[in-house]
Amino acid sequence: MIYFDKVSKIYNPETVALDKVSFTIEPGEFVSIVGHSGAGKTTLLKMILAEDKPSSGKVFFESVDVHSLNRFAIPKLRRRVGSVFQDFRLLPNKTAYENIAFAMEVAGRNEADIKNDVPHVLDIVGLGDRLWHFPHELSGGERQRVAIARAIINQPDLLIADEPTGSLDPDNATEVIEILKKINDLGTTIILTTHNPDVIEKIAKRVIEIENGRIKSDDKKHKIQ
Ligand code: ADP
């Protein structure tokens, strides 16, 4: 589904954020990208979403060279990808229901679909009783679960979770991981970044470790599929 072919990214003047990185991610995989701060994790995610161009090498989403897409095709690609961030990025003046409904409206979905799908997706993340709560009325773990519900509501092929447990205590982090595993079991490919070894242990699937912009290890033996 995702193929990096000797991708390098050099920021001026001479920061090598990615150094000839190659790997393949198959549909349905759950891959954790691990590495210290500054290792190149965020840069790698940006390459997939065409938010930044490689200095050399190519990134393929299925058979499409992401960086050959024009400005009309890039939004279409991004609609196939859901994103979750460390800081949740919910709209503070909208309830859980409205945050998710808004993502559906933007994608052009109709009112009947919204009424049907929003309670269902909040059930999937275990928040069927929190529809009308605002973000400030929810715990960190609950906020992240709303953000995950929003990220999957338009049925993306790929879910990118950038340090999704970074602001959570261990119990909430475990819940969020369990939900991501459930979503992966339902067929969505997931790429997650973390620098937390406990998170990798709990996911227990493939781990790509990057250090100074290079792949240090690609441990497929964690892969239980
Ligand atoms: P991580 O997400 O693993 O913390 P990043 O991908 O953010 O790492 O950064 C990798 C390296 O690239 C770091 O040395 C960082 O300082 C550098 N870098 C990232 N973005 C930029 C940018 N826009 N301009 C210059 N240097 C950058």
Side-chain angles (χ1 to χ4, degrees), residues 78-132:
R78 290 183 185 152
R79 278 203 285 277
R80 300 183 55 191
V81 183
S83 298
V84 176
F85 306 92
Q86 176 171 356
D87 56 0
F88 321 132
R89 302 195 191 174
L90 296 174
L91 298 167
N93 56 349
K94 288 190 188 290
T95 62
Y97 181 100
E98 290 165 349
N99 263 280
I100 299 165
F102 185 66
M104 293 182 76
E105 284 162 22
V106 170
R109 311 273 301 275
N110 65 39
E111 196 55 37
D113 276 357
I114 293 174
K115 282 201 175 118
N116 187 61
D117 292 3
V118 175
H120 177 62
V121 79
L122 280 168
D123 259 345
I124 291 178
V125 299
L127 292 176
D129 57 350
R130 294 284 194 280
L131 264 64
W132 306 110

Side-chain angles (χ1 to χ4, degrees), residues 29 57 75 80 105-106 112 129 131 141 148 153 170 205-206 217:
E29 276 199 84
R80 300 183 55 191
E105 284 162 22
V106 170
D129 57 350
L131 264 64
I148 291 169
I153 190 68
K205 299 215 177 186
R206 180 177 171 194
S217 63

Side-chain angles (χ1 to χ4, degrees), residues 4 7-21 33 36-47 52-55 210-215:
F4 272 56
V7 174
S8 294
K9 178 67 185 179
I10 296 152
Y11 287 111
N12 287 329
E14 54 192 21
T15 307
V16 182
L18 293 177
D19 189 6
K20 297 198 194 76
V21 168
I33 312 275
H36 295 296
S37 180
K41 304 183 293 296
T42 308
T43 305
L44 189 151
L45 299 183
K46 281 186 181 164
M47 297 292 143
D52 216 336
K53 270 191 190 298
S55 307
I210 57 173
E211 189 177 80
N212 297 324
R214 291 187 184 186
I215 294 188

